[in-house]
Amino acid sequence: TSRHLLNNLATMVESPISCISLTGGVSYYLPDTRPHIFNANLHLIPAPLLASSNEMADAIRKEESVNEIFRMAPLATLTVIGIGGMHEKSTIFNTGTLGKNDLTYLKMKGAVGDILSHFLDKDGNLVTSSVEERLISIPLETLKKFQNVIGVAAGAAKVKAIRSVLRGHYLNVLITDTTTAKLILEDNDE
């Protein structure tokens, strides 16, 4: 969804927009960046989404090139994020970034979905895990300070995740479809 949104936006604007990644490892989100099609400047975190160890993640987060992107992010006019569900077809699992055992482990810890690869419980609280310790991503507390955060997600498989993100107050706007909105409004947290 994020890739499609970015692709459409960057083909409709008259003057170039600047797009700043909020996580490392965004290669599977990159749109068609041929200049005659894509009217945007990309500013990517030069790092993987997940480091191999806590120590490596700490070192990457201290790199000036990473901090430069982290400093730019809060200056954005608007922030668009996807919301991931807890199933094998979610991008983070489907791309092999995390495996089936990680999915099971995170579910056992209470995760119902993620934003920016931070896994959340049903109430929107961060689920602590070894994944979180190795993650190269804008911290959730930083995200909460951003203006105009727009979440984009739809589908029955993402309802619990969307509810969690709303309960955590991470968004200013949610874009979804009618069917998903009705499911979100049902008071059913099974």
Side-chain angles (χ1 to χ4, degrees):
T1 304
S2 299
R3 180 173 53 93
H4 293 297
L5 180 79
L6 183 57
N7 241 344
N8 287 331
L9 181 62
T11 58
M12 297 181 334
V13 295
E14 291 180 19
S15 57
I17 58 172
S18 291
C19 300
I20 302 162
S21 69
L22 300 178
T23 69
V26 296
S27 60
Y28 41 82
Y29 288 121
L30 293 181
D32 183 348
T33 56
R34 289 177 287 177
H36 67 284
I37 294 173
F38 189 74
N39 198 8
N41 299 311
L42 297 176
H43 304 278
L44 307 177
I45 296 172
L49 178 61
L50 290 173
S52 58
S53 67
N54 301 357
E55 296 78 20
M56 180 62 74
D58 288 341
I60 290 170
R61 287 186 207 107
K62 291 176 184 171
E63 286 294 323
E64 182 57 30
S65 58
V66 172
N67 278 300
E68 185 176 295
I69 303 298
F70 282 168
R71 282 192 304 271
M72 291 171 72
L75 303 175
T77 305
L78 62 92
T79 303
V80 180
I81 61 172
I83 300 170
M86 293 299 291
H87 52 83
E88 291 179 10
K89 292 186 180 180
S90 291
T91 304
I92 197 164
F93 300 108
N94 190 34
T95 59
T97 303
L98 292 177
K100 192 173 185 174
N101 289 341
D102 296 309
L103 174 62
T104 302
Y105 167 74
L106 288 162
K107 282 182 174 180
M108 290 173 71
K109 298 259 314 176
V112 297
D114 79 278
I115 52 171
L116 305 177
S117 301
H118 295 284
F119 288 89
L120 305 172
D121 68 15
K122 69 181 185 70
D123 296 316
N125 300 309
L126 182 65
V127 171
T128 56
S129 70
S130 60
V131 172
E132 182 67 27
E133 295 167 359
R134 298 182 297 123
L135 184 62
I136 309 301
S137 180
I138 292 286
L140 288 177
E141 289 309 311
T142 302
L143 179 68
K144 279 188 170 185
K145 296 174 187 172
F146 288 8
Q147 300 296 313
N148 302 317
V149 178
I150 301 168
V152 182
K158 293 191 176 187
V159 169
K160 288 182 181 182
I162 296 168
R163 278 192 195 129
S164 170
V165 172
L166 293 172
R167 288 178 181 148
H169 304 285
Y170 299 105
L171 306 178
N172 301 105
V173 175
L174 172 65
I175 298 174
T176 192
D177 60 28
T178 304
T179 304
T180 306
K182 287 178 182 175
L183 291 171
I184 293 167
L185 293 173
E186 290 177 7
D187 189 24
N188 184 3
D189 258 342
E190 300 164 13

